[in-house]
Amino acid sequence: KLSAKGAAGTVAAGAGLALGLREAKRALHYETPIDFWQQAAFDVKKAPSAPNSSAASSAVAAIPALCARANIAETDFWAAARRLRPVELELELLHASFLEAKQMPATEQQAKEDELMASWKERGYFDPNMLARERANLFGRRITSDAQGVDIGTLVPPYLPACSMADAPATQRLDWSDKVAGTTQSVREASEASLERWGCALLRGTLSAEDMAEFRRSLGLGGVVGKNGDRT
């Protein structure tokens, strides 16, 4: 009898758990199909050739004095930017906050800039060894599981104007402040939210047809139509 009662109790508990899970799934609309890419894909527009925001112009104007106060060469600032250190973005966002505050004293602005510079130094963004790295010394053989997040020395174009590095290629800025249709979020905010929720984000428009043609040409993939109409 005791064993029968125990078995009955186990069955009842299992049935209750299954019912509870079913109700939880129903409450979460578990069976409702989701158009994933409608929620995780965003259109990114090219920004005008000139800086499209006062924050960008203000950030660029502050770089020489900021580097001088921190005893950092201005070329090192741009070198860090080209090595994917987010110095440009963080400085631009800081100056955007200055514009929102409107009448912030210049001394307070400089103090906040110096705090940001100190955090960059602490994170090693201007480490001479890091800035001197070359791709030839970094891109070695490694198994796939060890490759994620490894710095292989790839240089990217800086996106703020007035870069003083002669070998830095020109690039057209993207308008990350543009609002996503039907929302109050900017493309940057929506992309970050998508990464947090889904672990990915599809950004349409970041590469132009000209970018892809140059990419194919540099890798020798062929199929690129030249200016005179010849296909190479």
Side-chain angles (χ1 to χ4, degrees), residues 23-204:
E23 291 302 318
K25 289 179 179 180
R26 181 180 299 176
L28 294 171
H29 305 287
Y30 180 80
E31 297 180 353
T32 303
I34 297 175
D35 186 349
F36 174 77
W37 289 118
Q38 189 172 6
Q39 301 189 37
F42 310 97
D43 293 312
V44 185
K45 298 177 182 178
K46 298 287 186 181
S49 329
N52 70 327
S53 71
S54 300
S57 302
S58 177
V60 169
I63 291 172
L66 173 60
C67 292
R69 292 197 306 272
N71 197 26
I72 291 291
E74 191 175 342
T75 53
D76 286 350
F77 175 91
W78 294 112
R82 295 198 63 195
R83 286 165 174 79
L84 292 174
R85 273 55 183 180
V87 290
E88 296 174 290
L89 173 61
E90 292 183 0
L91 185 61
E92 184 181 11
L93 292 178
L94 179 64
H95 277 259
S97 70
F98 294 164
L99 295 175
E100 290 176 1
K102 295 183 178 178
Q103 298 182 346
M104 181 182 294
T107 53
E108 187 176 346
Q109 291 185 16
Q110 286 189 4
K112 290 184 177 296
E113 288 176 347
D114 293 342
E115 289 177 7
L116 183 59
M117 174 63 78
S119 73
W120 291 340
K121 287 184 175 181
E122 185 178 351
R123 285 178 271 176
Y125 289 174
F126 307 111
D127 181 353
N129 295 325
M130 183 274 292
L131 296 179
R133 288 177 178 175
E134 296 181 1
R135 280 177 287 180
N137 300 328
L138 291 171
F139 194 74
R141 295 182 62 183
R142 55 177 61 89
I143 60 177
T144 303
S145 59
D146 292 337
Q148 185 175 359
V150 174
D151 183 357
I152 60 173
T154 301
L155 301 180
V156 299
Y159 80 90
L160 285 178
C163 173
S164 60
M165 300 183 72
D167 63 334
T171 185
Q172 189 173 5
R173 300 180 68 239
L174 299 175
D175 188 3
W176 294 102
S177 61
D178 189 40
K179 299 297 183 184
V180 176
T183 74
T184 59
Q185 286 185 312
S186 66
V187 173
R188 177 186 290 127
E189 293 169 339
S191 302
E192 291 174 351
S194 178
L195 288 173
E196 290 179 0
R197 181 178 182 184
W198 304 109
C200 64
L202 175 63
L203 302 176
R204 292 187 291 254

